[in-house]
Amino acid sequence: MSVFLLLLLVSVCPQLCSAFTANVPQPYPYGLSYHIDCGGPTNTTDPYNTTWLSDRFFTGGNTAIVSEPLQFRHPQEKTLRYFPLSSGKKNCYVVPDLPDGRYYVRTFTVYDNYDGKSHSPSFDASVEGTLVFSWRSPWPEDLARSGSYSDLFAFVSDGRADICFYSIATDPPVVGSLQLVQVDPSSYDSATLGRDYILVNYGRFTCGTDQWGPGFSNDTDRFGRSWQSDKDFRVTDPKSPVREVTTRFTISGTDQSPNYFPTKLYETAVEVGGDGVLEYQLSVDAKLDYLLWFHFAEIGTGVTRARQRVFDVVINGKKVNTIDIYKQVGSFAAYNWHYTAKNLSSTVLNVKLVSVTGAALICGLENYALVPVDLSTVPEQEMNENDSGGTGNIHFVPDRMGWNGDPCAPTNWDAWEGVSCQPNNGKTALVIYQIDLGSQGLKGYISDQIGLMSNLVSLNLSSNSLGGTIPSGLGQKSLTKLDLSYNQLTGSIPDSLASSNLHLVLLNDNLLEGQVPEKLYSIGVHGGAIDVSGNKDLCGVSPLSECPLFWEHGGLSKKGKVAIGLSSLFVFCLLLLVVYFFCIRRGRHDYDFAPPHDLMSLAAKRNRYQRQKSLMLLEMESQHAKALPSPIAPH
């Protein structure tokens, strides 16, 4: 898709929004906006009181200054960021923590021979994984020198906006500024179009006045849209002279949700005299559909009733509507109407307003390409090399690999280096089915969340410097090839690998330990291949050393744990038996359980009693023998 060279600038900022509230039925409900100065070292404020943020926290790449900065009015136009191949073929700006909704996105692109090579670069740009702009060298001289603004409307549904640039050949992409403004999600007939299209601006014209809007004048626009004069796009015809019409009367019905078209747009217009034709030639790309948005207001004082000004709208030779502004809304009131031109076979879109009664009149015209939203990677399979929670997290992936943004989208770009993607079964999203990052100097560890990549067929991370353990979730059913050899992986081999459909497992030359799952060896038996050599602490099936009894995976085996459990239970039961026995004994002879010194005292007392008893008996026997009267017998 060729880029449309449209000079548009600056989005709505909260300060400007609060200053222009005339004719607004309710407060504008959206205030979120980012204004990013690409290449700017610090935050700055432009003459229209808009704060521009330095981009150093949003992306990588290098910064530069245009060759002739004095020819640019604003600070954000004088700096740029470029992405050499050392940064990778794909580089993205990522704006995080965004509420889901519709956003207005604008970029400023300029070359101005910043690198002294007199070679404007070729590159593509995407928003939310969909290709939207293409730049091809050589650029027209005025474009390369002065730059161009391009804008669009897109939905963000994943909490962050990705604006990415893709190098063509060896050319470094460039960007001068980036703006992101939240707008009404119902704007521009999104209820009919749905979220399946990005609206790429191919022309936004104001009639009867010069360019205006945020960044070009003090006139503001709720969405940040700027409006350029239609003069360069009108087809001049001496037989149909064009007159400019203006009014100072108040125009009703402007600045209304969901589109919030500014009042200034309807205060000027152009009309063609007599029975003439007002014609526009719009440059487009073939094979796309285009949304045309027409703006009218009956600001001529001579029109006081219906049917005094009637004209036909003819698009590419086809009459599509008949307009009577007064009949629709009366005088000094905004009226807009839109039409979708489909299946274009030409690079020119012809729009005519043909007079039926009175002179044809128009206040403004917008033209948007309906670019179908490309497939994106399913969220749970998106990977981020610097996010500890990311799927398949591998830290310190070299910048040259260009691992940022969506790993698979757009589909007409190559996926991340070493990553292969394909549509899912329902063809509603992209999934990663292969990762090949052997010998890439990778460091860090493999995240447990790699198990979420349920479509992964082949994983090769061999000959790197990866540490940590092998994630237990790596044994998903889809995985058939796994090569983690020649790394520094520690710990044991998870049992999940044995329950997968793997037919190639290379874990050799790591620091793994413990017993190799016996089922894993069945891979070799069934025609596959397995190699776990070079791990001195692995044990199990031959040719590995035999594991110690009750020992596997670097610790006690299940059998060992069961044996210890049974032994502990036996000892516990034995103790219970001993306690029970002594408790019974104590119930019968309490003293048996007295302390040793008490037992000795008790024994001594009993011995004295026995001796006294014996002496008494002896004395009684002696008295009886002598026939002495018994002391206890009655007299």
Side-chain angles (χ1 to χ4, degrees), residues 307 310-313 319-324 328 356:
R307 304 227 30 103
V310 181
F311 52 90
D312 293 331
V313 179
K319 176 184 172 181
V320 296
N321 198 7
T322 298
I323 303 294
D324 185 338
Q328 293 291 334
V356 175

Side-chain angles (χ1 to χ4, degrees), residues 572-588 593:
F572 179 72
C573 292
L574 183 61
L575 288 174
L576 285 179
L577 184 61
V578 171
V579 171
Y580 175 77
F581 174 77
F582 280 104
C583 284
I584 296 299
R585 294 274 299 173
R586 182 171 181 173
R588 296 177 181 178
F593 291 93

Side-chain angles (χ1 to χ4, degrees), residues 4 27 61 73-74 91 113 131 211 234 238 263 292 314 347 392 418 466 470 493 533 545 548 558 564:
F4 185 74
R73 294 190 300 168
H74 305 306
N91 289 270
N113 199 29
L131 176 64
Q211 181 167 298
R234 289 199 307 255
T263 301
L292 293 167
V314 180
T347 57
L466 298 176
I470 300 175
I493 299 175
S533 62
S545 59
K558 291 181 180 179
I564 291 177

Side-chain angles (χ1 to χ4, degrees), residues 60 437 445 495:
L437 297 174
Y445 64 93
D495 290 330

Side-chain angles (χ1 to χ4, degrees), residues 307-622:
R307 304 227 30 103
Q308 281 188 292
R309 189 196 302 273
V310 181
F311 52 90
D312 293 331
V313 179
V314 180
I315 298 177
N316 282 351
K318 178 184 177 182
K319 176 184 172 181
V320 296
N321 198 7
T322 298
I323 303 294
D324 185 338
I325 305 171
Y326 192 96
K327 181 179 180 181
Q328 293 291 334
V329 294
S331 294
F332 303 104
Y335 171 62
N336 58 75
W337 169 79
H338 60 275
Y339 174 80
T340 302
K342 297 184 177 182
N343 302 319
L344 299 186
S345 58
S346 172
T347 57
V348 175
L349 182 58
N350 182 268
V351 177
K352 292 182 180 180
L353 304 182
V354 181
S355 175
V356 175
T357 302
L361 176 145
I362 187 170
C363 296
L365 175 62
E366 298 177 83
N367 182 28
Y368 295 97
L370 299 178
V371 180
V373 172
D374 205 347
L375 296 179
S376 60
T377 306
V378 293
E380 61 268 22
Q381 294 196 12
E382 291 189 15
M383 299 183 292
N384 189 325
E385 76 278 13
N386 293 317
D387 179 6
S388 62
T391 302
N393 186 324
I394 302 168
H395 290 288
F396 312 117
V397 173
D399 290 342
R400 59 178 170 77
M401 300 185 70
W403 272 38
N404 49 81
D406 191 304
C408 301
T411 54
N412 50 348
W413 289 358
D414 295 332
W416 285 356
E417 183 174 346
V419 174
S420 299
C421 306
Q422 63 184 11
N424 60 5
N425 292 336
K427 300 189 182 301
T428 58
L430 299 172
V431 295
I432 298 172
Y433 74 92
Q434 181 173 306
I435 299 176
D436 187 355
L437 297 174
S439 304
Q440 294 294 337
L442 305 182
K443 300 178 181 179
Y445 64 93
I446 309 171
S447 170
D448 290 338
Q449 295 190 24
I450 197 170
L452 297 176
M453 303 178 68
S454 57
N455 303 94
L456 190 62
V457 174
S458 175
L459 176 63
N460 176 19
L461 301 176
S462 63
S463 302
N464 287 293
S465 299
L466 298 176
T469 60
I470 300 175
S472 59
L474 192 55
Q476 57 265 62
K477 294 298 183 180
S478 62
L479 193 64
T480 60
K481 297 180 181 179
L482 177 64
D483 187 354
L484 302 179
S485 60
Y486 297 100
N487 277 288
Q488 299 171 14
L489 299 172
T490 59
S492 60
I493 299 175
D495 290 330
S496 58
L497 293 184
S499 61
S500 65
N501 292 321
L502 286 164
H503 62 256
L504 174 66
V505 179
L506 302 179
L507 303 176
N508 54 289
D509 295 279
N510 277 284
L511 304 175
L512 300 173
E513 60 184 4
Q515 184 173 7
V516 178
E518 293 183 10
K519 289 184 179 180
L520 203 59
Y521 278 98
S522 64
I523 294 173
V525 176
H526 293 89
I530 179 173
D531 187 353
V532 293
S533 62
N535 294 276
K536 64 178 182 179
D537 292 326
L538 282 180
C539 61
V541 183
S542 178
L544 299 176
S545 59
E546 205 172 311
C547 293
L549 185 64
F550 301 143
W551 193 259
E552 67 179 4
H553 300 329
L556 284 172
S557 65
K558 291 181 180 179
K559 294 180 180 178
K561 293 176 182 178
V562 171
I564 291 177
L566 291 176
S567 300
S568 300
L569 180 63
F570 174 76
V571 172
F572 179 72
C573 292
L574 183 61
L575 288 174
L576 285 179
L577 184 61
V578 171
V579 171
Y580 175 77
F581 174 77
F582 280 104
C583 284
I584 296 299
R585 294 274 299 173
R586 182 171 181 173
R588 296 177 181 178
H589 305 286
D590 291 339
Y591 57 81
D592 287 348
F593 291 93
H597 63 276
D598 291 340
L599 291 176
M600 292 176 63
S601 176
L602 182 64
K605 291 179 180 178
R606 196 161 78 178
N607 289 337
R608 286 197 300 270
Y609 170 76
Q610 292 293 341
R611 286 197 299 272
Q612 291 176 354
K613 182 178 179 182
S614 299
L615 290 174
M616 184 180 293
L617 290 174
L618 287 173
E619 185 178 356
M620 291 176 64
E621 290 177 358
S622 175

